[in-house]
Amino acid sequence: MSEFNFKNRNLFSGVHLLGILLLVAGLFALVSPLFLSSGSSMTKIISVGTGSCFIGLLIIFTYSGTLIDTSKNRFKEYVSIIGFRMGSWQDLTEIREIKVVSTTRIQRNIPNGISPTLSGKVTEHRILLYSDSDRPVFSFNYSNQTKAIEKARFLADGANSELILDNVSS
């Protein structure tokens, strides 16, 4: 079975960062009675710590993605909650061309008084799958060029498609 699985998540941004923070806060709440004195009962400390860890882990292990099965010519856009993928299979149109395009841009976050204002160059490597139209059927972003090219070759081999490396050094 030749399956391509693209997980759309980044652990250090967005809601997944909140999950990591909740997990760390829960672990801190659970170990804090060892070195801090508190007027709270152990039941309350354990319930708050455990609840925070549980919610943090739930957020961390929840993500969306796309699964492409080239052997059966189908795809599934899914949401994975703690490893259970929810989504239905759909027929995949014939993929004629797969492009890997690299773009570099300057990324800035908007100053909001809370988070630091950082800016820098970000290079994205995008895999674009085309059928008959000029618009891509699927688009997958990678930060690692080698991984993007490897995944694009895997898809091109499975779908018997032409692979085009645009602005990419192979």
Side-chain angles (χ1 to χ4, degrees), residues 23-52:
L23 181 62
V24 169
L27 292 174
F28 179 76
L30 289 172
V31 298
S32 66
L34 298 174
F35 54 88
L36 295 174
S37 61
S38 172
S40 299
S41 68
M42 281 304 281
T43 307
K44 187 184 285 187
I45 292 171
I46 290 172
S47 63
V48 167
T50 306
S52 180

Side-chain angles (χ1 to χ4, degrees), residues 74 131 149:
R74 61 186 185 163
S131 62
I149 292 172

Side-chain angles (χ1 to χ4, degrees), residues 5-149:
N5 186 12
F6 178 75
K7 298 176 184 177
N8 188 17
R9 74 174 178 183
N10 186 354
L11 289 178
F12 300 107
S13 69
V15 72
H16 289 108
L17 180 60
L18 175 64
I20 290 173
L21 294 174
L22 282 170
L23 181 62
V24 169
L27 292 174
F28 179 76
L30 289 172
V31 298
S32 66
L34 298 174
F35 54 88
L36 295 174
S37 61
S38 172
S40 299
S41 68
M42 281 304 281
T43 307
K44 187 184 285 187
I45 292 171
I46 290 172
S47 63
V48 167
T50 306
S52 180
C53 285
F54 176 74
I55 293 171
L57 286 172
L58 184 66
I59 291 172
I60 289 170
F61 289 108
T62 299
Y63 59 90
S64 63
T66 304
L67 192 62
I68 298 176
D69 184 359
T70 56
S71 65
K72 295 183 180 175
N73 208 26
R74 61 186 185 163
F75 74 96
K76 177 191 331 189
E77 291 183 342
Y78 66 87
V79 174
S80 176
I81 301 175
I82 311 176
F84 296 104
R85 294 181 187 151
M86 293 177 278
S88 59
W89 288 103
Q90 299 175 16
D91 291 333
L92 180 65
T93 60
E94 182 181 350
I95 303 298
R96 298 192 188 281
E97 184 177 274
I98 297 175
K99 281 187 184 180
V100 179
V101 179
S102 295
T103 56
T104 301
R105 61 182 170 82
I106 294 178
Q107 179 177 352
R108 293 187 182 102
N109 67 338
I110 299 171
N112 59 9
I114 299 171
S115 61
T117 306
L118 303 173
S119 65
K121 287 186 177 183
V122 175
T123 301
E124 289 181 339
H125 309 282
R126 186 172 292 203
I127 299 174
L128 303 169
L129 281 69
Y130 291 93
S131 62
D132 292 330
S133 69
D134 292 338
R135 299 187 69 180
V137 179
F138 292 104
S139 174
F140 306 112
N141 291 334
Y142 288 93
S143 58
N144 184 320
Q145 177 178 332
T146 307
K147 188 172 183 179
I149 292 172

